[in-house]
Each structure stands twice: as structure tokens, then as C-alpha cells.
Amino acid sequence: MISQRLSLLRKKMAEHDLDAYIVTSADPHSSEYVSDHYKCREYITGFTGSAGTALITRDKAYLWTDSRYFLQAAAELPEEYELMKMLEKGVPMLSEFINDTLAGKRVGADGRTVTAAMAQRLRCILVPDLDLIGEIWEDRPADDMHTVEELDTAVCGESRTDKLRRVREKLGDKTLLVCASDECAWLYNYRAPGKIYDPIPSAYSIVSADRARLYLSGVMTDKLRRSLDADGVEICPYEDIDRDVKAISGTISADSSVVNSYLSGLCANKKDEPSPIGIMKAVKNSTEQQGFIDAHIADGTALTKFICNIKKLCREGRITSYTELDAVKDMEMYRGQQHGYIGPSFATIAAYGPHGAIVHYDPDENTNIPCEAHSFLLVDTGGQYSCGTTDVTRTISLGTLTDEEKRAYTAVLRGNLALGAAVFPEKVTGSNLDVLARMPLWENGLDYGHGTGHGVGFISCVHEGPNAIRLRRADTPFEEGMVTSNEPGVYITDKFGIRLENLILCRRGGEMYHFLTLTLAPFDRDAIIADMLTDREKKLLNDYHRRVYDTLAPRLTAEEAQWLAAETAPIE
């Protein structure tokens, strides 16, 4: 099937005299979760991971992806493709490969799915207006349309008029082109709760000193339409964005890392700079912060009930009839019992044993396996609530563990505790703090290939910037109100995977900053080697577990609370 699609694509390439064709994983807004309409890279490669870019030449095909997906891509890619493992020694980045092998050659792409920044790095002759996948994809799904509702100021803490005022103060006499859909949703206070994972409909906006125009792909409720109109926001047809961008005569402020190359090419006078909305959105106000706290109490209740049930299955010898997909279903069931639950914030990862080493493993009917009475079940899961967004990972022991597994778990736990307890001055970035989570692993000859933390949106994208924690390119200083994940891990191919993830809220006390851990769920005491913990680490763990018990026990059944009391008892 993929071979046939490649053949059809190459015929189209020949018609346009192209030497190569780029297929990204993106939509026109660089969204994290794209609709089926924009899953062109999956269509042409067979690789179902969420991140990756394909390059098809006249006689070869390549896929670039990062370390989270190396194992998955190796398993899913057909023989026609060569896997290019990003950041591995000797593997050029896509732009380097194109510049080395296709400089001056004609390379096609759907410019709406290629960012301006990516296009600027290429020394080929980029032909950015060719949706060749669309020409060969006979049953291509239509783009999604969702009902879009008002997000009340009582929930989000700031009116759209106040947000527009703050944005305009940053703009001066420039016109802001907003291409990120989540920035539009934040600015104008709306959500699409029926959209799975992130309740963010596709949208653009143009903001100047005297006008605010919204180009929304969705069905607005009458209430939202009236509210936007009352606040002076012009509601424009989504497809009019091209025409209106062309008509702007002054300086357009646009972020090349987000704006697509096709739309960027329509800007007569563009200044490349980050959108001011990014940092405003990342710094949660007091109402949003309390919403995150409340969401994590509900989510912690669901996850703790889930873990308690897993442990009960282990004690009763029934874990061997329990599968990864059973875990996915049960996690959704427990969340559904919580007040304000909307839906998952991403597809739950439930990975037993060797599958845990696949960082973004996604169980399905073909890969689903039963658990066994040993090793780990890694569960990475999150929810959208009417008051906030969650993302959490717990790695659960199912029986007998090897010394290697226990030592790795304890090292990951120590990294999580160290980062969560960080105290630091202003202007400190995620790259400054990343080493805290990795040092306990490095001491044991271990490491992980992914970043340690990502920003999290408010009833929005579970991965958002600009705040992040990773070794490189995490240069945004932390500010009070930022919510970031704390998720060190260890992945041993063909054996097991461990990840322990909490969300942490940046707070300020005097001249220094620190983190409040939002996530509330026990760590697995059966996997901890107490002698590997320092006295300080034991105190951090015991204090956290005391808070978990005090907060969650009143929300549990008597049996669950009794189990949680034992699970969170002090480790000496």
C-alpha cells in the first residue's frame, strides 16, 4: 500500500519537475494534534507517531523523528523508508540533508504545513504551494468542524478586552498576525469541548491598534458570537485570511516558528518576532492556578483509585488476565467519575514491560498484550477538566522486580524529587534546571533522550511553550504562574521503561522561586530501594506522600483509603 502511494506521489513530482517532496506532520497552525485531514505524513509513511517529517526523492524515501519514536518508527516503517534518528551521531538534520544533497534543486511542499522558519533554513528551490498528497489521497477525510463555546471570565480569570489591551501595549504601531490556534483561543476566551485531546479549534487572528479580527474554523454558539461582537471583535470567514494578510500595508509582527511559509510569503513587510501572547498565556493568573489545583485533586483521585485497583489485581493473582487496553479503559472510567471531567488531554499510554521502553507507545488491538506478575506497567495519562488540564505518569510494579528495575526506578524518583524541590533566583531557565533531574541517573550510568519538562496549557494544549525543561534550547526564564511537567525516565530496550511525571507550578517567595507540585498520586514503594535515598530525599518523599494522603483519602472508599495509608506510610 505505501509502495503504491509512493509511486503515485513520484508521478506527481515528475509532473511538477520536482527532485524531492517534503511531508510534515503539521497543519497550517503548527497544532499539536492535527485532524485526520492533515495526517499526510502518516498516509505516505505508515508511521503513526505524532512527530516526524518525511522526504521523498525520485528514488529514495526518508523519515526523520526523535528518540521518543525510534522503536515505534523502526517497527512501523515499510522497507522503502530509511529511518533518520534525529540527534544521533552521524545523522544530519532534515535541513542539513537537503542543503547537502538538494541545494539548488526543486523541492515541493504544501507550504501551509511548513513553517516559515523551516523554509528559511533550506537552500533548495522550495515550491511551497503543492499539496501533492491531497492530489493522490482519494478518500481524504474532511477537516474537523466543532462547536465553539464561550469560556467564562469566572473560569479563566481575565476578559478578552483586558487581554487585547495587554497585547496592544506590546505591539505599538505593528499589526500582529496570530497563527497559533491556542493563542487565538486564549486571547478571545473560547474553547471547543467536543474536540478530543485539546479543545482548540483552528483559527487565525489579526490584531492592530484599532481592530481585532478572528478567523475561526468552527461553529460558534450564539452566545459566543454576541459576546465577541459586543467586545468589538470582527468575526471573519476562515478562508479570508490570505486576502486580508495581503492587504496589510504596515509592519506585520509574526513568529516564523509558527506562521506557515505560504502565509508568510503573503506578508509585504514582516518582522519576525515571538508572539507576545505566548508568554502571557504561559503565566497563569490566580484563577487559572486555582483551577489547576482543583483539577489535580480530581485527577489524583481517579489515578489513585486506578492504581489501588491494579494492586488489588496483583494481590488476587488476576493481573495476568489484565491487558494494556484494559488499563486505558479503566483510567477513563475512573476519570469519568470526577466532577468537571471533559475528556482525555492525550491518548493514554499504558505500556507493560518491554513496551514501556517505547516512549510514546500507543496500545491498540494489534499491539495490546496482557500484563504479567512481574516488571512494570507504565501509565502516562492526562485529562481535560472544566477548571484545568492534567498530565501525569506513574510506573506501577506488578510483582517481582529485578535489582536493575528497582535501582532504575529509585534513580528516576530521586531526579523527580530533586527537580520538584528546586529553589532558584529570577532569570533561571529550564536548561539551567534540567541537570537536577538527570544527575541521579547519570550517577548510575543512565539517561533519557527526551526533555524533562514541557509547559501545559489551561484547558488547552497539554504541551505548550515557551517554558520547558531540557538540556538545550530551553531559554525562557521561569515566571510565577508557569505550569511545567517534571518527567525524568529510563528506557531499557526489550526490558522495561520507567517514567515518573508530576506537573509543577512556579511560585515566588521573596527573591527566590520554587515549585508547588500539583500532581497528587503515590509513588510505588515496592519499587523503591530506601538505602539509595538520602535523608533529605526521604523527607521530600514522605512530605509529598503525607500531602497525597491528607488530600485524597477523604475522596476514597474506606478500602482505598486504607491501601493509600500503607502506600504513603513514611519510608525510614
Side-chain angles (χ1 to χ4, degrees):
M1 182 171 60
I2 298 299
S3 178
Q4 182 181 12
R5 291 172 182 175
L6 285 171
S7 178
L8 290 172
L9 177 60
R10 287 184 171 121
K11 288 180 180 178
K12 292 292 182 180
M13 290 167 55
E15 291 175 11
H16 293 278
D17 192 27
L18 298 178
D19 296 284
Y21 190 77
I22 299 169
V23 186
T24 73
S25 303
D27 68 3
H29 306 276
S30 296
S31 305
E32 178 177 6
Y33 293 106
V34 303
S35 71
D36 289 346
H37 178 80
Y38 284 104
K39 292 184 178 178
C40 298
R41 188 263 305 143
E42 179 179 331
Y43 174 84
I44 200 65
T45 67
F47 169 58
T48 61
S50 63
T53 303
L55 179 71
I56 295 90
T57 67
R58 293 176 178 179
D59 57 358
K60 293 185 179 180
Y62 307 87
L63 175 83
W64 277 259
T65 193
D66 62 63
S67 63
R68 297 171 298 169
Y69 298 103
F70 288 169
L71 294 179
Q72 181 180 346
E76 292 182 342
L77 283 177
E79 61 181 10
E80 289 89 349
Y81 276 88
E82 179 178 346
L83 175 59
M84 307 295 281
K85 297 181 177 181
M86 294 168 60
L87 300 182
E88 293 285 285
K89 186 176 180 180
V91 178
M93 299 298 284
L94 173 64
S95 58
E96 295 171 339
F97 183 87
I98 289 176
N99 293 341
D100 288 343
T101 63
L102 294 164
K105 301 292 184 66
R106 286 173 55 83
V107 177
D110 179 357
R112 294 184 183 274
T113 66
V114 175
T115 65
M118 177 180 176
Q120 290 165 7
R121 292 193 295 268
L122 303 180
R123 294 201 298 268
C124 60
I125 301 171
L126 185 64
V127 185
D129 57 352
L130 297 175
D131 181 13
L132 298 188
I133 300 297
E135 294 183 22
I136 67 172
W137 192 348
E138 293 183 353
D139 300 320
R140 186 175 186 176
D143 203 1
D144 293 341
M145 293 288 285
H146 298 278
T147 299
V148 186
E149 303 175 358
E150 177 102 0
L151 184 64
D152 195 272
T153 304
V155 176
C156 63
E158 186 178 12
S159 69
R160 66 175 64 92
T161 54
D162 285 342
K163 291 178 178 179
L164 281 166
R165 175 187 51 77
R166 287 205 286 147
V167 169
R168 284 170 170 144
E169 287 174 354
K170 297 287 186 181
L171 277 180
D173 60 356
K174 298 189 295 268
T175 296
L176 176 65
L177 174 58
V178 186
C179 296
S181 298
D182 64 325
E183 292 190 359
C184 294
W186 177 88
L187 180 60
Y188 296 111
N189 288 350
Y190 61 75
R191 298 293 189 272
K195 183 172 181 286
I196 192 169
Y197 303 145
D198 61 337
I200 307 297
S202 297
Y204 298 101
S205 181
I206 299 175
V207 180
S208 59
D210 58 353
R211 297 181 73 182
R213 288 174 279 179
L214 173 62
Y215 305 77
L216 181 67
S217 177
V219 181
M220 292 187 192
T221 62
D222 291 341
K223 178 184 176 182
L224 174 59
R225 187 176 293 274
R226 289 193 302 268
S227 179
L228 288 167
D229 184 65
D231 288 333
V233 179
E234 301 174 41
I235 302 170
C236 306
Y238 179 77
E239 58 272 12
D240 284 1
I241 187 66
D242 295 3
R243 181 200 66 190
D244 290 352
V245 167
K246 284 181 183 179
I248 299 173
S249 58
T251 302
I252 300 174
S253 173
D255 186 347
S256 289
S257 68
V258 179
V259 62
N260 64 67
S261 60
Y262 177 82
L263 201 57
S264 177
L266 303 180
C267 298
N269 183 17
K270 187 187 75 168
K271 182 174 183 181
D272 182 8
E273 58 187 358
S275 166
I277 296 174
I279 194 71
M280 294 178 185
K281 177 168 55 70
V283 177
K284 277 60 180 178
N285 60 46
S286 59
T287 301
E288 292 170 321
Q289 291 179 37
Q290 185 59 52
F292 267 103
I293 292 170
D294 294 341
H296 278 84
I297 293 173
D299 205 60
T301 302
L303 181 56
T304 299
K305 286 175 173 286
F306 171 82
I307 297 172
C308 179
N309 182 61
I310 293 289
K311 292 294 189 176
K312 184 177 181 180
L313 293 175
C314 292
R315 292 193 304 273
E316 295 176 352
R318 295 190 289 138
I319 195 64
T320 54
S321 61
Y322 192 78
T323 70
E324 295 167 329
L325 287 181
D326 289 332
V328 173
K329 181 180 68 175
D330 283 355
M331 192 65 241
E332 184 66 13
M333 176 191 70
Y334 286 117
R335 278 210 176 93
Q337 298 170 358
Q338 304 306 309
H339 176 72
Y341 180 62
I342 298 171
S345 56
F346 58 95
T348 291
I349 297 168
Y352 172 70
H355 282 171
I358 305 172
V359 179
H360 275 205
Y361 171 73
D362 185 9
D364 58 30
E365 294 296 341
N366 294 321
T367 63
N368 184 39
I369 59 172
C371 298
E372 299 178 24
H374 62 91
S375 196
F376 292 118
L377 175 66
L378 185 156
V379 179
D380 187 344
T381 184
Q384 296 285 4
Y385 291 81
S386 59
C387 57
T389 302
T390 71
D391 181 5
V392 55
T393 308
R394 286 296 182 266
T395 303
I396 307 162
S397 66
L398 302 184
T400 304
L401 296 178
T402 66
D403 183 66
E404 179 187 26
E405 289 169 330
K406 285 188 174 184
R407 293 186 70 84
Y409 184 99
T410 308
V412 173
L413 173 63
R414 292 178 61 213
N416 182 284
L417 293 171
L419 179 57
V423 178
F424 51 95
E426 64 179 0
K427 298 184 179 180
V428 165
T429 70
S431 291
N432 299 140
L433 296 180
D434 185 90
V435 66
L436 296 176
R438 293 183 191 269
M439 187 61 73
L441 287 95
W442 290 349
E443 291 170 351
N444 286 272
L446 301 169
D447 201 0
Y448 50 96
H450 58 74
T452 298
H454 56 83
V456 179
F458 176 74
I459 321 178
S460 184
C461 302
V462 75
H463 299 95
E464 77 166 18
N467 49 307
I469 303 171
R470 53 179 178 259
L471 281 172
R472 305 172 191 87
R473 299 188 301 278
D475 301 325
T476 299
F478 278 100
E479 295 187 35
E480 185 172 19
M482 288 180 169
V483 175
T484 314
S485 69
N486 169 10
E487 49 182 310
V490 165
Y491 311 94
I492 308 299
T493 302
D494 296 329
K495 287 187 176 182
F496 61 86
I498 298 165
R499 186 162 60 255
L500 299 174
E501 177 185 14
N502 291 336
L503 296 193
I504 50 180
L505 169 64
C506 185
R507 288 190 159 175
R508 183 166 187 164
E511 296 300 312
M512 305 299 282
Y513 293 84
H514 64 277
F515 294 121
L516 169 69
T517 295
L518 296 169
T519 304
L520 295 168
F523 293 111
D524 196 318
R525 67 186 301 117
D526 294 331
I528 299 170
I529 299 176
D531 289 345
M532 286 180 62
L533 302 178
T534 66
D535 289 343
R536 178 174 181 268
E537 289 166 344
K538 289 177 183 177
K539 184 178 187 308
L540 290 172
L541 177 60
N542 291 337
D543 287 349
Y544 173 72
H545 271 166
R546 187 180 307 111
R547 183 169 152 242
V548 168
Y549 179 81
D550 290 345
T551 305
L552 300 185
R555 301 170 61 91
L556 305 175
T557 66
E559 180 183 2
E560 291 164 343
Q562 183 178 14
W563 169 81
L564 183 61
E567 191 72 7
T568 58
I571 290 181
E572 304 296 338

